[in-house]
């Protein structure tokens, strides 16, 4: 991190838009998805972080966690800050499968985000969706540069295999 760099964390349900070249937006994603949006000519961009694809969009704090609301708010704020719709470039991150269950929220989030941007005519020029586990994301919204690192969930790592001592004649093993 340079001396002039300003890190701003974007949490679940949040978004941030800026034209400050010193700002780096950060977040940590699991099954959530972040849209990183940028207009390369205007030098403005931002990031959102949503938890679920669709839900109540009544403008309350609870509606901020849904993708449909988060995508609209981010796009509109980038446009208000000087971006032009026809120049917008998107990168999508997250949507990981965090638990081995019947429901894959991450896949639903990723599919929603890709479909939403296709419907809006905004090209996805990069990113990383799906997979297993989380990722830490850094995004420079003015330049459009993004960097991610895998986040290892220590609880998800199986314990090392241990060898059981062999049973000697006369020993009793209870189970």
């Amino acid at each position: 991190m340079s001396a002039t760099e300003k890190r701003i964390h974007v949490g679940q349900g949040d978004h941030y838009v800026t034209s400050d070249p010193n700002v780096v937006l950060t977040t940590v994603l699991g099954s959530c998805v972040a849209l990183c949006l940028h207009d390369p000519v205007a030098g403005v961009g931002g990031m959102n972080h949503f938890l679920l694809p669709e839900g109540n969009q009544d403008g309350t704090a609870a509606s901020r966690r849904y993708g449909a609301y988060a995508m609209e708010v981010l796009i509109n704020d980038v446009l208000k800050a000087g971006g032009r719709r026809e120049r917008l470039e998107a990168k999508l991150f997250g949507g990981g499968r965090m638990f081995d269950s019947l429901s894959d929220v991450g896949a639903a989030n990723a599919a929603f985000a890709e479909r939403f941007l296709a419907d809006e005519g905004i090209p996805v020029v990069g990113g990383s969706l799906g997979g297993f586990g989380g990722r830490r994301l850094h995004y420079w919204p003015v330049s459009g540069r993004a960097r991610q690192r895998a986040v290892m969930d220590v609880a998800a790592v199986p314990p090392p295999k241990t060898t059981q001592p062999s049973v000697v004649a006369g020993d009793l093993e209870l189970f």
Side-chain angles (χ1 to χ4, degrees):
M1 183 165 130
S2 71
T4 59
E5 200 169 75
K6 295 180 244 170
R7 288 190 182 203
I8 297 172
H9 184 76
V10 179
Q12 288 181 359
D14 291 337
H15 78 286
Y16 193 88
V17 172
T18 186
S19 59
D20 183 344
N22 295 313
V23 168
V24 176
L25 302 177
T26 67
T27 199
V28 177
L29 302 164
S31 60
C32 294
V33 166
L35 165 61
C36 298
L37 193 64
H38 147 84
D39 177 334
V41 175
V44 63
M47 175 197 291
N48 69 16
H49 180 155
F50 68 87
L51 183 63
L52 298 167
E54 299 181 80
N56 188 5
Q57 295 185 53
D58 58 9
T60 64
S63 67
R64 295 180 352 180
R65 64 184 176 180
Y66 296 110
Y69 180 82
M71 301 292 261
E72 287 289 340
V73 170
L74 179 60
I75 292 167
N76 288 337
D77 283 359
V78 169
L79 296 177
K80 287 178 195 171
R84 303 256 321 252
R85 181 175 286 276
E86 64 272 12
R87 296 189 305 232
L88 294 179
E89 297 177 346
K91 293 182 180 178
L92 291 170
F93 295 89
R97 185 173 188 121
M98 302 304 293
F99 305 101
D100 195 20
S101 65
L102 297 176
S103 174
D104 189 351
V105 175
N109 283 338
F112 165 80
E114 290 176 315
R115 185 175 56 251
F116 187 97
L117 292 170
D119 290 349
E120 292 292 318
I122 298 172
V124 177
V125 299
S128 173
L129 292 171
F132 292 89
R135 59 201 86 189
R136 181 176 307 281
L137 176 61
H138 292 103
Y139 180 63
W140 290 259
V142 172
S143 70
R145 179 177 160 230
R147 181 179 70 210
Q148 75 169 2
R149 291 191 180 149
V151 175
M152 180 64 72
D153 180 359
V154 177
V157 176
K161 291 186 179 185
T162 58
T163 58
Q164 296 294 325
S166 60
V167 177
V168 179
D171 284 352
L172 177 64
E173 182 176 345
L174 299 173
F175 38 5

PDB file of all heavy atoms in Angstrom, residues 126-155:
ATOM      1  N   GLY A 126     -14.006  -9.158 -16.960  1.00  0.00           N
ATOM      2  CA  GLY A 126     -13.105  -9.927 -16.114  1.00  0.00           C
ATOM      3  C   GLY A 126     -13.777 -10.321 -14.827  1.00  0.00           C
ATOM      4  O   GLY A 126     -14.962 -10.068 -14.612  1.00  0.00           O
ATOM      5  N   GLY A 127     -12.995 -10.974 -13.971  1.00  0.00           N
ATOM      6  CA  GLY A 127     -13.490 -11.373 -12.673  1.00  0.00           C
ATOM      7  C   GLY A 127     -13.244 -12.839 -12.406  1.00  0.00           C
ATOM      8  O   GLY A 127     -12.496 -13.507 -13.121  1.00  0.00           O
ATOM      9  N   SER A 128     -13.912 -13.334 -11.386  1.00  0.00           N
ATOM     10  CA  SER A 128     -13.758 -14.714 -10.957  1.00  0.00           C
ATOM     11  C   SER A 128     -14.993 -15.106 -10.158  1.00  0.00           C
ATOM     12  O   SER A 128     -15.191 -14.613  -9.055  1.00  0.00           O
ATOM     13  CB  SER A 128     -12.501 -14.853 -10.090  1.00  0.00           C
ATOM     14  OG  SER A 128     -12.414 -16.139  -9.539  1.00  0.00           O
ATOM     15  N   LEU A 129     -15.813 -15.979 -10.743  1.00  0.00           N
ATOM     16  CA  LEU A 129     -17.038 -16.431 -10.090  1.00  0.00           C
ATOM     17  C   LEU A 129     -16.975 -17.928  -9.836  1.00  0.00           C
ATOM     18  O   LEU A 129     -16.364 -18.677 -10.595  1.00  0.00           O
ATOM     19  CB  LEU A 129     -18.258 -16.133 -10.971  1.00  0.00           C
ATOM     20  CG  LEU A 129     -18.630 -14.674 -11.162  1.00  0.00           C
ATOM     21  CD1 LEU A 129     -19.704 -14.537 -12.229  1.00  0.00           C
ATOM     22  CD2 LEU A 129     -19.094 -14.056  -9.852  1.00  0.00           C
ATOM     23  N   GLY A 130     -17.653 -18.364  -8.779  1.00  0.00           N
ATOM     24  CA  GLY A 130     -17.792 -19.782  -8.499  1.00  0.00           C
ATOM     25  C   GLY A 130     -16.631 -20.346  -7.722  1.00  0.00           C
ATOM     26  O   GLY A 130     -15.912 -19.638  -7.022  1.00  0.00           O
ATOM     27  N   GLY A 131     -16.471 -21.636  -7.850  1.00  0.00           N
ATOM     28  CA  GLY A 131     -15.421 -22.324  -7.120  1.00  0.00           C
ATOM     29  C   GLY A 131     -15.853 -22.610  -5.696  1.00  0.00           C
ATOM     30  O   GLY A 131     -17.021 -22.485  -5.331  1.00  0.00           O
ATOM     31  N   PHE A 132     -14.884 -23.007  -4.904  1.00  0.00           N
ATOM     32  CA  PHE A 132     -15.136 -23.337  -3.502  1.00  0.00           C
ATOM     33  C   PHE A 132     -14.351 -22.389  -2.624  1.00  0.00           C
ATOM     34  O   PHE A 132     -13.198 -22.081  -2.911  1.00  0.00           O
ATOM     35  CB  PHE A 132     -14.726 -24.787  -3.208  1.00  0.00           C
ATOM     36  CG  PHE A 132     -15.607 -25.776  -3.899  1.00  0.00           C
ATOM     37  CD1 PHE A 132     -15.314 -26.222  -5.173  1.00  0.00           C
ATOM     38  CD2 PHE A 132     -16.753 -26.245  -3.273  1.00  0.00           C
ATOM     39  CE1 PHE A 132     -16.135 -27.129  -5.814  1.00  0.00           C
ATOM     40  CE2 PHE A 132     -17.576 -27.154  -3.912  1.00  0.00           C
ATOM     41  CZ  PHE A 132     -17.270 -27.599  -5.188  1.00  0.00           C
ATOM     42  N   GLY A 133     -14.968 -21.928  -1.565  1.00  0.00           N
ATOM     43  CA  GLY A 133     -14.275 -21.069  -0.617  1.00  0.00           C
ATOM     44  C   GLY A 133     -14.405 -19.599  -0.947  1.00  0.00           C
ATOM     45  O   GLY A 133     -15.076 -19.196  -1.892  1.00  0.00           O
ATOM     46  N   GLY A 134     -13.734 -18.796  -0.131  1.00  0.00           N
ATOM     47  CA  GLY A 134     -13.846 -17.356  -0.233  1.00  0.00           C
ATOM     48  C   GLY A 134     -12.670 -16.717  -0.928  1.00  0.00           C
ATOM     49  O   GLY A 134     -11.700 -17.373  -1.309  1.00  0.00           O
ATOM     50  N   ARG A 135     -12.773 -15.415  -1.089  1.00  0.00           N
ATOM     51  CA  ARG A 135     -11.711 -14.627  -1.703  1.00  0.00           C
ATOM     52  C   ARG A 135     -11.701 -13.228  -1.132  1.00  0.00           C
ATOM     53  O   ARG A 135     -12.739 -12.695  -0.769  1.00  0.00           O
ATOM     54  CB  ARG A 135     -11.834 -14.618  -3.224  1.00  0.00           C
ATOM     55  CG  ARG A 135     -13.131 -14.055  -3.718  1.00  0.00           C
ATOM     56  CD  ARG A 135     -13.432 -14.512  -5.124  1.00  0.00           C
ATOM     57  NE  ARG A 135     -14.114 -15.786  -5.056  1.00  0.00           N
ATOM     58  CZ  ARG A 135     -14.393 -16.570  -6.065  1.00  0.00           C
ATOM     59  NH1 ARG A 135     -14.066 -16.232  -7.271  1.00  0.00           N
ATOM     60  NH2 ARG A 135     -15.018 -17.704  -5.902  1.00  0.00           N
ATOM     61  N   ARG A 136     -10.520 -12.680  -1.026  1.00  0.00           N
ATOM     62  CA  ARG A 136     -10.324 -11.291  -0.604  1.00  0.00           C
ATOM     63  C   ARG A 136     -10.084 -10.500  -1.885  1.00  0.00           C
ATOM     64  O   ARG A 136      -9.269 -10.883  -2.719  1.00  0.00           O
ATOM     65  CB  ARG A 136      -9.124 -11.183   0.323  1.00  0.00           C
ATOM     66  CG  ARG A 136      -8.865  -9.767   0.820  1.00  0.00           C
ATOM     67  CD  ARG A 136      -7.720  -9.720   1.821  1.00  0.00           C
ATOM     68  NE  ARG A 136      -7.880 -10.659   2.920  1.00  0.00           N
ATOM     69  CZ  ARG A 136      -8.660 -10.471   3.985  1.00  0.00           C
ATOM     70  NH1 ARG A 136      -9.364  -9.375   4.100  1.00  0.00           N
ATOM     71  NH2 ARG A 136      -8.718 -11.371   4.947  1.00  0.00           N
ATOM     72  N   LEU A 137     -10.798  -9.391  -2.026  1.00  0.00           N
ATOM     73  CA  LEU A 137     -10.759  -8.610  -3.262  1.00  0.00           C
ATOM     74  C   LEU A 137     -10.273  -7.195  -2.992  1.00  0.00           C
ATOM     75  O   LEU A 137     -10.704  -6.560  -2.034  1.00  0.00           O
ATOM     76  CB  LEU A 137     -12.175  -8.577  -3.863  1.00  0.00           C
ATOM     77  CG  LEU A 137     -12.406  -7.755  -5.107  1.00  0.00           C
ATOM     78  CD1 LEU A 137     -11.564  -8.251  -6.275  1.00  0.00           C
ATOM     79  CD2 LEU A 137     -13.884  -7.786  -5.467  1.00  0.00           C
ATOM     80  N   HIS A 138      -9.385  -6.717  -3.849  1.00  0.00           N
ATOM     81  CA  HIS A 138      -8.957  -5.317  -3.878  1.00  0.00           C
ATOM     82  C   HIS A 138      -9.293  -4.787  -5.266  1.00  0.00           C
ATOM     83  O   HIS A 138      -8.975  -5.431  -6.273  1.00  0.00           O
ATOM     84  CB  HIS A 138      -7.441  -5.190  -3.650  1.00  0.00           C
ATOM     85  CG  HIS A 138      -7.025  -5.574  -2.277  1.00  0.00           C
ATOM     86  ND1 HIS A 138      -6.428  -6.773  -1.979  1.00  0.00           N
ATOM     87  CD2 HIS A 138      -7.136  -4.918  -1.104  1.00  0.00           C
ATOM     88  CE1 HIS A 138      -6.176  -6.834  -0.688  1.00  0.00           C
ATOM     89  NE2 HIS A 138      -6.607  -5.722  -0.130  1.00  0.00           N
ATOM     90  N   TYR A 139      -9.932  -3.626  -5.311  1.00  0.00           N
ATOM     91  CA  TYR A 139     -10.344  -3.043  -6.587  1.00  0.00           C
ATOM     92  C   TYR A 139     -10.011  -1.557  -6.608  1.00  0.00           C
ATOM     93  O   TYR A 139     -10.351  -0.825  -5.680  1.00  0.00           O
ATOM     94  CB  TYR A 139     -11.850  -3.253  -6.796  1.00  0.00           C
ATOM     95  CG  TYR A 139     -12.377  -2.696  -8.086  1.00  0.00           C
ATOM     96  CD1 TYR A 139     -11.926  -3.182  -9.315  1.00  0.00           C
ATOM     97  CD2 TYR A 139     -13.320  -1.690  -8.100  1.00  0.00           C
ATOM     98  CE1 TYR A 139     -12.409  -2.679 -10.510  1.00  0.00           C
ATOM     99  CE2 TYR A 139     -13.825  -1.181  -9.286  1.00  0.00           C
ATOM    100  CZ  TYR A 139     -13.368  -1.683 -10.496  1.00  0.00           C
ATOM    101  OH  TYR A 139     -13.846  -1.177 -11.669  1.00  0.00           O
ATOM    102  N   TRP A 140      -9.320  -1.143  -7.672  1.00  0.00           N
ATOM    103  CA  TRP A 140      -8.977   0.250  -7.901  1.00  0.00           C
ATOM    104  C   TRP A 140     -10.000   0.788  -8.900  1.00  0.00           C
ATOM    105  O   TRP A 140      -9.872   0.580 -10.106  1.00  0.00           O
ATOM    106  CB  TRP A 140      -7.555   0.357  -8.443  1.00  0.00           C
ATOM    107  CG  TRP A 140      -6.497   0.024  -7.445  1.00  0.00           C
ATOM    108  CD1 TRP A 140      -5.745   0.907  -6.740  1.00  0.00           C
ATOM    109  CD2 TRP A 140      -6.046  -1.279  -7.031  1.00  0.00           C
ATOM    110  NE1 TRP A 140      -4.867   0.249  -5.908  1.00  0.00           N
ATOM    111  CE2 TRP A 140      -5.031  -1.106  -6.067  1.00  0.00           C
ATOM    112  CE3 TRP A 140      -6.404  -2.587  -7.357  1.00  0.00           C
ATOM    113  CZ2 TRP A 140      -4.381  -2.167  -5.447  1.00  0.00           C
ATOM    114  CZ3 TRP A 140      -5.771  -3.648  -6.742  1.00  0.00           C
ATOM    115  CH2 TRP A 140      -4.769  -3.427  -5.803  1.00  0.00           C
ATOM    116  N   PRO A 141     -11.057   1.469  -8.434  1.00  0.00           N
ATOM    117  CA  PRO A 141     -12.181   1.821  -9.300  1.00  0.00           C
ATOM    118  C   PRO A 141     -11.867   2.819 -10.405  1.00  0.00           C
ATOM    119  O   PRO A 141     -12.543   2.824 -11.432  1.00  0.00           O
ATOM    120  CB  PRO A 141     -13.223   2.385  -8.339  1.00  0.00           C
ATOM    121  CG  PRO A 141     -12.475   2.747  -7.114  1.00  0.00           C
ATOM    122  CD  PRO A 141     -11.279   1.870  -7.051  1.00  0.00           C
ATOM    123  N   VAL A 142     -10.872   3.633 -10.242  1.00  0.00           N
ATOM    124  CA  VAL A 142     -10.552   4.612 -11.289  1.00  0.00           C
ATOM    125  C   VAL A 142      -9.860   3.926 -12.465  1.00  0.00           C
ATOM    126  O   VAL A 142     -10.165   4.196 -13.629  1.00  0.00           O
ATOM    127  CB  VAL A 142      -9.716   5.777 -10.713  1.00  0.00           C
ATOM    128  CG1 VAL A 142      -9.208   6.690 -11.817  1.00  0.00           C
ATOM    129  CG2 VAL A 142     -10.560   6.577  -9.723  1.00  0.00           C
ATOM    130  N   SER A 143      -8.953   3.007 -12.185  1.00  0.00           N
ATOM    131  CA  SER A 143      -8.240   2.315 -13.262  1.00  0.00           C
ATOM    132  C   SER A 143      -8.940   1.035 -13.710  1.00  0.00           C
ATOM    133  O   SER A 143      -8.687   0.542 -14.808  1.00  0.00           O
ATOM    134  CB  SER A 143      -6.820   1.957 -12.818  1.00  0.00           C
ATOM    135  OG  SER A 143      -6.860   0.926 -11.829  1.00  0.00           O
ATOM    136  N   GLY A 144      -9.780   0.461 -12.848  1.00  0.00           N
ATOM    137  CA  GLY A 144     -10.441  -0.793 -13.166  1.00  0.00           C
ATOM    138  C   GLY A 144      -9.621  -2.025 -12.814  1.00  0.00           C
ATOM    139  O   GLY A 144     -10.028  -3.151 -13.072  1.00  0.00           O
ATOM    140  N   ARG A 145      -8.473  -1.832 -12.201  1.00  0.00           N
ATOM    141  CA  ARG A 145      -7.604  -2.949 -11.818  1.00  0.00           C
ATOM    142  C   ARG A 145      -8.212  -3.688 -10.626  1.00  0.00           C
ATOM    143  O   ARG A 145      -8.740  -3.064  -9.705  1.00  0.00           O
ATOM    144  CB  ARG A 145      -6.231  -2.410 -11.456  1.00  0.00           C
ATOM    145  CG  ARG A 145      -5.256  -3.468 -11.009  1.00  0.00           C
ATOM    146  CD  ARG A 145      -3.877  -2.862 -10.736  1.00  0.00           C
ATOM    147  NE  ARG A 145      -3.143  -3.765  -9.884  1.00  0.00           N
ATOM    148  CZ  ARG A 145      -2.521  -3.420  -8.771  1.00  0.00           C
ATOM    149  NH1 ARG A 145      -2.503  -2.162  -8.379  1.00  0.00           N
ATOM    150  NH2 ARG A 145      -1.878  -4.301  -8.067  1.00  0.00           N
ATOM    151  N   ALA A 146      -8.105  -5.008 -10.640  1.00  0.00           N
ATOM    152  CA  ALA A 146      -8.614  -5.822  -9.537  1.00  0.00           C
ATOM    153  C   ALA A 146      -7.599  -6.903  -9.198  1.00  0.00           C
ATOM    154  O   ALA A 146      -6.880  -7.390 -10.068  1.00  0.00           O
ATOM    155  CB  ALA A 146      -9.946  -6.457  -9.918  1.00  0.00           C
ATOM    156  N   ARG A 147      -7.568  -7.257  -7.918  1.00  0.00           N
ATOM    157  CA  ARG A 147      -6.702  -8.337  -7.455  1.00  0.00           C
ATOM    158  C   ARG A 147      -7.472  -9.139  -6.413  1.00  0.00           C
ATOM    159  O   ARG A 147      -8.124  -8.572  -5.546  1.00  0.00           O
ATOM    160  CB  ARG A 147      -5.430  -7.770  -6.829  1.00  0.00           C
ATOM    161  CG  ARG A 147      -4.461  -8.864  -6.350  1.00  0.00           C
ATOM    162  CD  ARG A 147      -3.205  -8.295  -5.757  1.00  0.00           C
ATOM    163  NE  ARG A 147      -3.533  -7.661  -4.486  1.00  0.00           N
ATOM    164  CZ  ARG A 147      -2.880  -6.625  -3.976  1.00  0.00           C
ATOM    165  NH1 ARG A 147      -1.878  -6.078  -4.626  1.00  0.00           N
ATOM    166  NH2 ARG A 147      -3.226  -6.118  -2.815  1.00  0.00           N
ATOM    167  N   GLN A 148      -7.375 -10.450  -6.517  1.00  0.00           N
ATOM    168  CA  GLN A 148      -8.041 -11.289  -5.516  1.00  0.00           C
ATOM    169  C   GLN A 148      -7.056 -12.308  -4.973  1.00  0.00           C
ATOM    170  O   GLN A 148      -6.093 -12.679  -5.641  1.00  0.00           O
ATOM    171  CB  GLN A 148      -9.256 -12.003  -6.100  1.00  0.00           C
ATOM    172  CG  GLN A 148      -8.909 -13.162  -6.993  1.00  0.00           C
ATOM    173  CD  GLN A 148     -10.110 -14.008  -7.344  1.00  0.00           C
ATOM    174  OE1 GLN A 148     -11.232 -13.731  -6.954  1.00  0.00           O
ATOM    175  NE2 GLN A 148      -9.879 -15.061  -8.086  1.00  0.00           N
ATOM    176  N   ARG A 149      -7.328 -12.714  -3.751  1.00  0.00           N
ATOM    177  CA  ARG A 149      -6.552 -13.770  -3.100  1.00  0.00           C
ATOM    178  C   ARG A 149      -7.527 -14.735  -2.459  1.00  0.00           C
ATOM    179  O   ARG A 149      -8.537 -14.316  -1.892  1.00  0.00           O
ATOM    180  CB  ARG A 149      -5.647 -13.189  -2.018  1.00  0.00           C
ATOM    181  CG  ARG A 149      -4.529 -12.365  -2.589  1.00  0.00           C
ATOM    182  CD  ARG A 149      -3.510 -12.036  -1.528  1.00  0.00           C
ATOM    183  NE  ARG A 149      -2.444 -11.245  -2.146  1.00  0.00           N
ATOM    184  CZ  ARG A 149      -1.755 -10.338  -1.527  1.00  0.00           C
ATOM    185  NH1 ARG A 149      -1.993 -10.072  -0.265  1.00  0.00           N
ATOM    186  NH2 ARG A 149      -0.812  -9.674  -2.146  1.00  0.00           N
ATOM    187  N   ALA A 150      -7.202 -16.008  -2.540  1.00  0.00           N
ATOM    188  CA  ALA A 150      -8.047 -17.022  -1.915  1.00  0.00           C
ATOM    189  C   ALA A 150      -7.991 -16.865  -0.408  1.00  0.00           C
ATOM    190  O   ALA A 150      -6.947 -16.539   0.157  1.00  0.00           O
ATOM    191  CB  ALA A 150      -7.583 -18.416  -2.316  1.00  0.00           C
ATOM    192  N   VAL A 151      -9.128 -17.079   0.230  1.00  0.00           N
ATOM    193  CA  VAL A 151      -9.214 -17.057   1.683  1.00  0.00           C
ATOM    194  C   VAL A 151      -9.494 -18.481   2.121  1.00  0.00           C
ATOM    195  O   VAL A 151     -10.495 -19.073   1.722  1.00  0.00           O
ATOM    196  CB  VAL A 151     -10.350 -16.121   2.171  1.00  0.00           C
ATOM    197  CG1 VAL A 151     -10.510 -16.203   3.667  1.00  0.00           C
ATOM    198  CG2 VAL A 151     -10.080 -14.697   1.722  1.00  0.00           C
ATOM    199  N   MET A 152      -8.612 -19.010   2.911  1.00  0.00           N
ATOM    200  CA  MET A 152      -8.763 -20.383   3.384  1.00  0.00           C
ATOM    201  C   MET A 152      -9.511 -20.379   4.700  1.00  0.00           C
ATOM    202  O   MET A 152      -9.122 -19.692   5.633  1.00  0.00           O
ATOM    203  CB  MET A 152      -7.387 -21.019   3.571  1.00  0.00           C
ATOM    204  CG  MET A 152      -7.426 -22.441   4.068  1.00  0.00           C
ATOM    205  SD  MET A 152      -8.203 -23.600   2.934  1.00  0.00           S
ATOM    206  CE  MET A 152      -6.958 -23.703   1.676  1.00  0.00           C
ATOM    207  N   ASP A 153     -10.593 -21.135   4.754  1.00  0.00           N
ATOM    208  CA  ASP A 153     -11.350 -21.302   5.984  1.00  0.00           C
ATOM    209  C   ASP A 153     -10.720 -22.457   6.748  1.00  0.00           C
ATOM    210  O   ASP A 153     -10.841 -23.612   6.354  1.00  0.00           O
ATOM    211  CB  ASP A 153     -12.814 -21.602   5.658  1.00  0.00           C
ATOM    212  CG  ASP A 153     -13.666 -21.778   6.902  1.00  0.00           C
ATOM    213  OD1 ASP A 153     -13.130 -21.694   8.026  1.00  0.00           O
ATOM    214  OD2 ASP A 153     -14.873 -22.012   6.747  1.00  0.00           O
ATOM    215  N   VAL A 154     -10.037 -22.142   7.812  1.00  0.00           N
ATOM    216  CA  VAL A 154      -9.324 -23.158   8.581  1.00  0.00           C
ATOM    217  C   VAL A 154     -10.279 -24.240   9.073  1.00  0.00           C
ATOM    218  O   VAL A 154      -9.935 -25.413   9.116  1.00  0.00           O
ATOM    219  CB  VAL A 154      -8.562 -22.513   9.759  1.00  0.00           C
ATOM    220  CG1 VAL A 154      -7.884 -23.558  10.603  1.00  0.00           C
ATOM    221  CG2 VAL A 154      -7.551 -21.515   9.229  1.00  0.00           C
ATOM    222  N   ALA A 155     -11.513 -23.873   9.399  1.00  0.00           N
ATOM    223  CA  ALA A 155     -12.478 -24.855   9.884  1.00  0.00           C
ATOM    224  C   ALA A 155     -12.863 -25.849   8.790  1.00  0.00           C
ATOM    225  O   ALA A 155     -13.294 -26.956   9.072  1.00  0.00           O
ATOM    226  CB  ALA A 155     -13.726 -24.149  10.409  1.00  0.00           C
TER     227      ALA A 155
END
